[in-house]
Amino acid sequence: MLQFCVITLLVVGSVFTSSTLKYSVRYIDQPLDHFNKATYGYRTYKERYLLNDDYYRAGGPIFIYCGNEGNILDFWDNSGFIFTLAEEFNALIVFGEHRYFGKSLPFGLASFQNPQIGLLTIDQVLADYANLIAYLKSKYGNDDTKVIAFGGSYGAILAAFFRFKYPNIVTGSLAASAPVSIADNKTAQESFWPIITEDYGSVNPKSVTKIESAFKQLDYLSKIPNGYQTISETFHLCDNITNAAGYKHLLLYIRNAFTTLAMYDYPMVTNFSLPLPAWPVNVTADMMLKADTPIDGLFQVTTVVYAPTSSKNQNSCYNLSALFVECCDPTGCGLGNAALGWDYLCCNQLALATGSYSNTSMFPNLPFTTEDKKEYCQKRWNITPEPHWYALEFFGSDVFVSSNIIFSNGLLDPWHGGGILKADPNNPSIKIVLIPEAAHHLDLRPISPSDPPGLVKAHEKEIRYIQEFLNSK
């Protein structure tokens, strides 16, 4: 008999309908701290989750999406392939919201203050999901009900870790774009910016030359009288750059735009983190080539990312401090409370990309070393990152000691350099799926007529592998 703590289920409101599939919003009471009762005792918080049982049949599996660093509704609306699978396998669908994100705030707005934020750990999150599954098994199935965990990006890391840590609960996982090897692989840690450069180079090598030229021109302007003013006017900034710190912030803001474009380089128009055209890398590479000057091209590229976010157009100003916040993650933390949560996770446990260098990418030298991260995290959160412990606790690259995990990676995705890209013949239950024409966890999105051939084949493999997991004893 599975053991789990007593939890309370609340159904809030009626059934909702998204652009993909209807869901009901529910909450369970989760322990504030699953592991230490001395501090918070048996106090609980309400974790939100989404549920759909349209396809569920008695004896069917539970499919759980491991919510990442954001509002769980956003992941529901952009993970339609899971619904296709649920129909195929008569599965119950549940999307668990990550503690400290969306509406799952253990201490309300005080959640992001010390010491309350200390309960934001991967260990606590996985325990939340394990508790949720135990409850759903008692309601919809039994101890033997099969469970497949899904996730994209950080959610994919969680889906893999969920199988690592709770193999008694999780039958298998589909981890789409999980950069787990960054934990202990220096090459993986340094691969992010060179891969974005390769993405643009594969569209048109001349676009890389233009981008490099633009950054060189910015560097020149930053060193001459009135140069900061010229740069500020070119990028339509609300407040002029006046010093080196402001100029560096602009460079990070520009680099972050390329991060977004490369990660969501999808073959269809999307509105995941923001509205983007189909194949945005192609679109912006073409912008660079057609611009009057390289710097004008760079500005036009940034408007693709920041204009929808800020409701501005090219005749309006852009507020750098509001549109991009420097943080522990060189690829960007986003904005608002979600950014605070991600920043803390990055400092406390996660290993992510490092800085960029002009000799390995089209980007300027913007280093972010281990020492830089340590200094930042001590100053911001009063904690010291322990990268070696993260790799030790969560396996790092040594995933083949586990079983029944699909690691899928799109080769356009700048995170794929941190993924598991090669199979081990000694452990065929760890499945590797590579998708040449795909960017960040494209394989979890709803099936579309725009899907490239490699994605269609990837879906066929993933269905076959999940069937294999469900058939395993």
Side-chain angles (χ1 to χ4, degrees):
M1 180 77 178
L2 282 175
Q3 299 296 315
F4 55 94
C5 73
V6 177
I7 55 182
T8 303
L9 175 65
L10 300 174
V11 181
V12 179
S14 58
V15 171
F16 293 83
T17 301
S18 74
S19 58
T20 49
L21 189 71
K22 66 182 181 181
Y23 56 84
S24 59
V25 178
R26 307 190 181 197
Y27 290 83
I28 67 169
D29 287 342
Q30 292 282 11
L32 283 175
D33 190 335
H34 289 273
F35 309 109
N36 173 19
K37 302 305 179 186
T39 303
Y40 293 101
Y42 293 88
R43 290 172 58 188
T44 61
Y45 84 97
K46 295 191 182 300
E47 179 197 12
R48 180 171 61 162
Y49 69 96
L50 311 180
L51 189 83
N52 178 285
D53 61 3
D54 285 359
Y55 304 127
Y56 179 71
R57 300 292 179 270
I62 297 172
F63 285 178
I64 179 170
Y65 183 91
C66 299
N68 352 1
E69 70 283 20
N71 188 315
I72 195 61
L73 302 181
D74 293 334
F75 300 107
W76 181 279
D77 286 335
N78 289 277
S79 303
F81 182 56
I82 298 173
F83 308 149
T84 299
L85 292 170
E87 184 174 13
E88 176 79 15
F89 293 106
N90 298 323
L92 181 72
I93 305 168
V94 57
F95 276 51
E97 188 163 68
H98 195 301
R99 60 167 58 199
Y100 288 80
F101 294 96
K103 292 189 175 181
S104 300
L105 304 179
F107 301 94
L109 294 180
S111 297
F112 304 99
Q113 301 171 5
N114 273 318
Q116 295 94 314
I117 200 167
L119 293 177
L120 173 53
T121 69
I122 293 171
D123 313 77
Q124 299 283 1
V125 172
L126 295 178
D128 285 345
Y129 294 156
N131 219 24
L132 174 58
I133 288 297
Y135 171 78
L136 292 173
K137 280 188 174 187
S138 72
K139 181 175 176 61
Y140 288 91
N142 54 53
D143 290 355
D144 297 324
T145 298
K146 300 293 180 73
V147 176
I148 302 295
F150 296 84
S153 191
Y154 169 54
I157 293 176
L158 293 176
F161 289 177
F162 201 13
R163 172 63 181 168
F164 293 169
K165 290 290 186 176
Y166 295 94
N168 57 317
I169 294 175
V170 180
T171 310
S173 297
L174 170 52
S177 302
V180 293
S181 68
I182 286 180
D184 58 1
N185 186 309
K186 190 172 186 292
T187 301
Q189 294 164 8
E190 297 173 348
S191 64
F192 191 88
W193 309 109
I195 291 174
I196 296 180
T197 304
E198 291 170 7
D199 287 349
Y200 276 84
S202 67
V203 171
N204 192 323
K206 292 181 180 179
S207 69
V208 172
T209 303
K210 284 275 190 178
I211 293 165
E212 290 173 336
S213 177
F215 281 119
K216 289 177 182 177
Q217 289 179 24
L218 283 177
D219 182 62
Y220 169 77
L221 287 172
S222 72
K223 296 174 181 176
I224 64 172
N226 300 318
Y228 285 153
Q229 181 176 343
T230 300
I231 293 171
S232 301
E233 291 172 354
T234 301
F235 283 86
H236 296 213
L237 303 183
C238 298
D239 299 305
N240 282 352
I241 295 170
T242 59
N243 54 38
Y247 173 62
K248 178 186 176 185
H249 191 83
L250 173 69
L251 293 179
L252 292 170
Y253 161 93
I254 296 169
R255 193 181 68 175
N256 183 67
F258 284 100
T259 296
T260 301
L261 295 164
M263 284 177 58
Y264 302 112
D265 191 25
Y266 295 156
M268 69 287 289
V269 174
T270 57
N271 192 15
F272 186 19
S273 61
L274 74 164
L276 285 176
W279 297 118
V281 168
N282 298 51
V283 170
T284 51
D286 191 54
M287 278 183 178
M288 288 300 307
L289 295 174
K290 291 180 177 178
D292 292 337
T293 69
I295 292 181
D296 285 337
L298 213 54
F299 166 64
Q300 291 173 31
V301 169
T302 64
T303 65
V304 175
V305 173
Y306 296 116
T309 305
S310 58
S311 299
K312 303 292 183 183
N313 56 52
Q314 293 192 17
N315 296 317
S316 302
C317 71
Y318 292 82
N319 186 335
L320 281 187
S321 60
L323 292 171
F324 177 76
V325 178
E326 294 183 47
C327 66
C328 172
D329 181 359
T331 71
C333 284
L335 304 170
N337 288 336
L340 294 175
W342 185 242
D343 192 38
Y344 182 84
L345 272 170
C346 172
C347 281
N348 192 38
Q349 286 184 294
L350 288 170
L352 299 170
T354 57
S356 62
Y357 296 91
S358 60
N359 64 332
T360 58
S361 74
M362 64 188 182
F363 300 104
N365 291 330
L366 293 167
F368 194 70
T369 65
T370 301
E371 284 303 311
D372 292 331
K373 181 176 180 178
K374 179 179 177 181
E375 180 181 350
Y376 171 84
C377 294
Q378 288 176 337
K379 181 178 180 181
R380 178 65 183 87
W381 297 107
N382 196 31
I383 56 176
T384 301
E386 297 181 298
H388 297 298
W389 175 247
Y390 173 68
L392 181 64
E393 183 182 11
F394 295 110
F395 298 21
S397 301
D398 195 18
V399 301
F400 293 97
V401 299
S402 186
S403 62
N404 289 9
I405 302 174
I406 304 166
F407 287 102
S408 65
N409 281 280
L411 299 186
L412 297 179
D413 180 14
W415 288 109
H416 88 258
I420 304 299
L421 306 179
K422 293 184 179 179
D424 183 343
N426 296 314
N427 185 354
S429 74
I430 298 293
K431 312 293 188 180
I432 309 301
V433 177
L434 303 181
I435 315 168
E437 319 97 320
H440 205 46
H441 54 72
L442 176 61
D443 50 325
L444 289 187
R445 291 186 60 80
I447 291 175
S448 164
S450 304
D451 289 347
L455 179 57
V456 175
K457 292 180 181 178
H459 281 154
E460 292 171 353
K461 289 180 180 179
E462 289 167 350
I463 292 171
R464 188 167 70 249
Y465 295 153
I466 289 171
Q467 180 69 73
E468 186 179 318
F469 295 166
L470 292 174
N471 290 342
S472 65
K473 295 182 179 180

